[in-house]
Amino acid sequence: MKNTFRRAAIIALAAAMSSSVLPAGSAFAAGGSGSVPARVSYDVDGDGTIKSGEWAYRIETPDQLVWYSDHYYDNNWKGSAYLANDIDLSCRSGNEPFHPIGSRKLDETNDIDHYGYGSTFDGNGKEIRGLNIDARDERAGLFGYIFGGVVRNLTVRGSVTGGKVAGGIAGESRGKIINCISYVNVTARPPVNSSGEAFVGGIVGRNGSEILEHCKNHGTVKCVENHSNVTAYTGGIAGISEGARIISDCMNYGRVESFAAVGGICGGSTGGSMVYYCGNEGKIVGTEYTFASNSIVYHGVGGICGNFFGVMENCYNAGDVTATGTARYVGGLIPSIPVEATGENRCQLTAVIKNCYNTGKVSGLADQDQTWIDPIGHADRSYIYVEKTYYCCNKFGYGPIGSEPLSPTSMQNKERFVGWDFDNVWIMDSEKGRPVLRTSHQAGSWDITAVNYMGGNPIECGDYFIRSKANNRYLDLAASSYTNLICHDFNAGRNQKFYYRNGKMKSEQNGKYITMGEAYNGGFKAVADEDSSVVAIYKKFGTENFFLTKSFCDKNGYHKTYALEVKNPTASNSVVFWNELQVNNVNQQWSVESAISSARVGSNFNIQNANSGLLLDMYTVNGTVLQHAANGGDNQKWQVISAGNSRYLLKTMCAAHPGFIGIGNDNRAVVGSNEVPVEVFDNRDGTFRIHLPGTNKFLRVANDSMGSAIVKWEPYTGTGGFHWKTQRMH
């Protein structure tokens, strides 16, 4: 996932070329002067070339940026934009407050999925100054909610105040944030007497981003307790990182102060998050916090993360980590986590920490009951796997097994950092007297697809078939009950398709989750049930083999990790169960295969009905979609656009009636301006089905024996014109 930045020639070309690519009736069809930015050809994809039809708004003035925010949803065109100049919002005309881009006011709509920011905003190396946002009733940030969009190459200065979700770049993101720098002071003030959770970050408050990398925060990040029953997640980069997401190549230099979960990079994490090549130099302060006795508390103060389970690799903390309140759990990288004295939940934290160090002072009220202060992260009754990790100059405690104390002199000797990569990852900083990351020296991008606990990335969220490496058969929800998991020959059915998101693996057949059942053969049966506990997916280093694992603590408080395993792999219906993880056991190794071919994403496809052989056709008179014989026209050419989360947009290439396939009267397939994401289910026979999410409807030719037959959305029956294929790509 290396970033490619445009060349100066491309920027100059984009500035010189302007073209109207939208209908004259569009609210975005004006442009060129005043408060309305011009539309110009532009390298939106950032790959160094301007492709046909690529365009963006050229923003040159503060008023044009305000116009872009106010008009982003007009006619649902949602155009991309880039900065041609530095922008100072304090110089704009009028007194209206700047409203976050991509965040409809709550009195207009609550449909956040539809109204997030889904385009590309390229800062182009420029900066926005004078940002002043007070959006306490919604997501607060320059961008309110990034949903499938991209924000890159941008510096922002100013202040943001929010209620429960706030960030310098975005309040919430489920898109991409790349190469952004924040000098924004971010403050969240949860409403009095409110409850729930607050998410506050220097870059993004609530992070579910596909990519969050190469970002820096210099601003102060704070969540102020306002007599609320609120759990706050506050971090220098992200307040919380949700699901198996990666934060990579990020640095925090600002002060982070809050209650509950506080960290230099992320306040908290869920679903096996990963933090790679990140460092904190700012002061981290945990304020007043009351310990609830006889309950499990996941919150604390850490130099990197305040609540963490997942993988942390090649990270460091050099900022002071301090608890100023009563009972508090403090660690140089992650906090110490208290647990119940008895019961099966004695072991609460599953974390992998490799090639990291802490030199920040870790301090708190050591005389308080149930307070742990640790230079790395407390390991008593918690599972923290630590390897090649070091700490220096701390008054309190000893690090967990796998960590080693070093003197200030030893910190300057790279030979003491056994197994560390000082050629590509680290550099010894003689002035600071310790290693720093090369990325913090502007040394370039990292390809983060090559690293993880066992080597390699976990999968992205989406639909998958899971194939055993032991017998080449597929994980299958047994048809007799749709409860027990077996291994069976491929049939492309719903019982063999599983949806992975936020660390949870769900069966498409019945909407239940892969989890552990009753004891079986020294392990546990693999079943689909209501339990939505996390299934971690790791890739074995140097291979294409994956492990599906679950970790928990037994009644004696011992941590155990179990992996999904095939029993009797030569049997036709091999039993699948959970057995203790054995990384060299081929019966525990799987291929995780996407349910849609990436070859079907792109431009200029003919989409052919598998039954009739006729092509999907945009009838230009009224937007109706039908099937028709091949004619070579653009009305039979389609663009398949990824919308994230294994969903896609089907966009016609017909210039006379542009738009996306959606649903109209009488369940007819029509082309309109609304972006309607669809799911594509691969039948593994060269064909696929097109599904309308949230319904039981699939795209079908109503009478596939006829030319010019209407295409409709109907419940899938397995017969007739439900199956499609891409005939050719131009």
Side-chain angles (χ1 to χ4, degrees), residues 255-264 280 282-289 300-304 306 317-335 358 360-366 371-374 394 396:
R255 178 186 175 98
V256 182
E257 182 176 346
S258 183
F259 57 96
V262 193
N280 174 61
K283 185 169 185 177
I284 311 302
V285 179
T287 55
E288 186 76 14
Y289 182 77
V301 190
I304 300 297
N317 173 60
D320 290 348
V321 183
T322 303
T324 63
T326 52
R328 179 60 70 169
Y329 313 94
V330 193
L333 298 177
I334 63 175
N358 171 59
K361 180 182 178 182
V362 183
S363 59
L365 301 179
T371 297
W372 284 265
I373 301 172
D374 195 280
N394 274 278
F396 295 109

Side-chain angles (χ1 to χ4, degrees), residues 217-221 236 252-256 280-284:
N217 175 61
H218 296 266
T220 297
V221 184
N252 175 62
Y253 299 96
R255 178 186 175 98
V256 182
N280 174 61
E281 303 265 357
K283 185 169 185 177
I284 311 302

Side-chain angles (χ1 to χ4, degrees), residues 691-721:
H691 176 242
L692 194 63
T695 74
N696 66 342
K697 295 179 174 62
F698 291 77
L699 201 65
R700 181 197 180 194
V701 178
N703 188 336
D704 58 23
S705 65
M706 294 175 54
S708 302
I710 296 296
V711 177
K712 301 182 74 172
W713 296 96
E714 296 183 351
Y716 183 68
T717 62
T719 61

